[in-house]
Amino acid sequence: MGDTRGRRFSLMIALASSGLVNAVASISPNWIVLMILQFIASLLAAGQYTLSMTLLGESTPLGRRNLVLLLVSSIFLLAQGLMAVVAIPVISLTFSFELSGIGIFWNSWRTTLLIYSIPSFLCVLGLLFMEESPKFVFSQGDDENATRILKKDTQSEQRKACAGVAVEEQIQKSAIKGFLQDEMAAAKDTNKSTLQSLKDQSVPLFRKPLLKYTLIVGCLCVLQQ
């Protein structure tokens, strides 16, 4: 979806849907329903890291790109620790009251699940004020809009770095010119359907010579969890 519908749009869908399902899981009547809903939420959230890194990498000026990606990677690594910091004081609470309409007792672990859903919705609100990846926009044939986004993304950087030199001229010489040269040949070929894109990216992972690496990485992920 990120390659065919846009990085920003797909990330918003992943965040909103996973947050919603996770919130619904807080009213699960039993552990079986909870397990199913949490599995669905995990599937919906699986692409968030890749989509966010792609969107940031394609939208950040080159001079700050490495720093931004490093910070975001660090936040993802710290996320589990932050979740524990939030969970410890909430889980220790002993309140419990009945929601007779749906036949459950609302308690601390349900509250924790609901709290975990809040950041997803906050991120969706933040993405409403963010532009789409200029690379994706350019791949859709909208050269004018891609150029506008690039100018907007790099303008503040150029103002700081180019005292006494026209911002527009510097942008043309750096961000836009380099972007167009790098992407002109390949970007126009990315207009594929969602199913075709999914097939092209997924099927090779389950064929030789990549199959053994897919199995190794999958096992490592399971063991890590």
Side-chain angles (χ1 to χ4, degrees), residues 195-220:
L195 292 178
Q196 185 62 42
S197 179
L198 180 64
K199 177 181 177 181
D200 291 345
Q201 295 180 60
S202 302
V203 171
L205 295 175
F206 300 95
R207 292 178 177 173
K208 293 182 178 180
L210 298 180
L211 177 58
K212 66 176 182 180
Y213 300 110
T214 300
L215 294 175
I216 292 172
V217 172
C219 291
L220 289 174

Side-chain angles (χ1 to χ4, degrees), residues 138 173-186:
F138 183 77
K173 288 182 178 180
S174 56
I176 298 175
K177 184 177 178 180
F179 174 80
L180 294 180
Q181 288 176 342
D182 292 340
E183 304 298 334
M184 183 67 75

Side-chain angles (χ1 to χ4, degrees), residues 47-63:
Q48 292 178 11
Y49 178 79
T50 304
L51 286 168
S52 61
M53 296 296 280
T54 302
L55 178 59
L56 284 172
E58 294 175 353
S59 302
T60 306
L62 184 60

Side-chain angles (χ1 to χ4, degrees), residues 121-176:
F121 299 119
L122 293 178
C123 288
V124 172
L125 291 176
L127 284 169
L128 292 175
F129 300 95
M130 186 174 181
E131 296 280 1
E132 178 58 89
S133 161
K135 178 179 178 180
F136 173 78
V137 174
F138 183 77
S139 73
Q140 303 303 299
D142 192 351
D143 301 359
E144 182 178 351
N145 199 27
T147 302
R148 179 190 63 79
I149 296 173
L150 279 169
K151 289 179 180 179
K152 182 177 180 180
D153 289 344
T154 58
Q155 193 168 12
S156 60
E157 290 293 315
Q158 295 298 332
R159 282 202 182 102
K160 295 176 183 177
C162 306
V165 181
V167 173
E168 187 75 16
E169 179 183 351
Q170 290 300 314
I171 294 174
Q172 291 292 340
K173 288 182 178 180
S174 56
I176 298 175

Side-chain angles (χ1 to χ4, degrees), residues 58-112:
E58 294 175 353
S59 302
T60 306
L62 184 60
R64 293 183 179 270
R65 186 174 301 163
N66 290 338
L67 175 61
V68 170
L69 296 182
L70 177 62
L71 289 174
V72 174
S73 298
S74 301
I75 290 172
F76 270 95
L77 292 173
L78 290 172
Q80 293 186 6
L82 293 174
M83 290 173 67
V85 170
V86 172
I88 290 173
V90 177
I91 289 292
S92 61
L93 299 175
T94 57
F95 68 90
S96 178
F97 55 89
E98 184 179 6
L99 298 179
S100 56
I102 51 179
I104 65 171
F105 285 87
W106 188 267
N107 49 33
S108 59
W109 70 263
R110 297 181 188 275
T111 304
T112 303

